[in-house]
Amino acid sequence: GASPSDTFLMYMFCCHIERKKPHYNADMVKRLRTCLSGSLDASYKIGKKMNHKSRDKHYDTTQHSIMNEYQETVFQKWSDGDSHDELKRSLEKLRDIGFDPAIMFTDDPLRILILIITEE
């Protein structure tokens, strides 16, 4: 029998995801609005692993992620270096769509506190 090419499979996968995009977006907004607590973490590990696998300089890359109380990832963002300014703009957008947890956990509370205080 014949098997489909990888290009065809990727095309079909992308078409399926595009059709479901409104559903995924609505589900994520619902999860953000009902989030009671959050856990914010900045990870350099992925960028360092990418640096070992290739010759490009990815070690300055940071992945910011927020997980809700059920350990579901509700937000992920890549930023250059340790850029909390990029994270600040993203948090403002999240707040605009209803993300307002009662409590937020982080491994660097002083930097996040400064970020939130300077926001206003």
Side-chain angles (χ1 to χ4, degrees), residues 28 32 35 37-46 61-68 71-79 82-84 86-87 90-91 94 99 101 104-108 112 115:
M28 287 308 297
L32 283 170
C35 191
S37 68
S39 172
L40 174 63
D41 188 31
S43 175
Y44 304 96
K45 295 174 189 165
I46 296 172
T61 307
T62 306
Q63 178 189 16
H64 298 281
S65 58
I66 298 176
M67 299 175 80
N68 65 9
Q71 298 303 309
E72 299 169 323
T73 301
V74 293
F75 170 79
Q76 276 189 327
K77 173 156 181 46
W78 285 95
S79 59
D82 192 12
S83 178
H84 277 64
E86 290 182 37
L87 181 61
S90 298
L91 288 175
L94 288 174
F99 178 69
M104 188 70 125
F105 299 97
T106 180
D107 58 349
D108 196 353
I112 300 302
L115 177 73

Side-chain angles (χ1 to χ4, degrees), residues 2-82:
S3 62
S5 68
D6 59 340
T7 306
F8 174 76
L9 291 173
M10 281 301 295
Y11 173 75
M12 292 304 295
F13 177 74
C14 291
C15 287
H16 176 73
I17 294 297
E18 282 298 317
R19 279 195 308 268
K20 296 283 189 175
K21 191 175 180 179
H23 169 73
Y24 294 145
N25 289 344
D27 186 53
M28 287 308 297
V29 169
K30 178 183 170 189
R31 289 175 193 224
L32 283 170
R33 288 183 179 162
T34 60
C35 191
L36 300 175
S37 68
S39 172
L40 174 63
D41 188 31
S43 175
Y44 304 96
K45 295 174 189 165
I46 296 172
K48 287 180 183 177
K49 287 181 182 177
M50 290 170 63
N51 185 38
H52 291 297
K53 299 291 182 191
S54 68
R55 296 178 185 258
D56 296 333
K57 289 189 172 186
H58 294 287
Y59 54 84
D60 288 336
T61 307
T62 306
Q63 178 189 16
H64 298 281
S65 58
I66 298 176
M67 299 175 80
N68 65 9
E69 61 268 19
Y70 303 109
Q71 298 303 309
E72 299 169 323
T73 301
V74 293
F75 170 79
Q76 276 189 327
K77 173 156 181 46
W78 285 95
S79 59
D80 297 328
D82 192 12

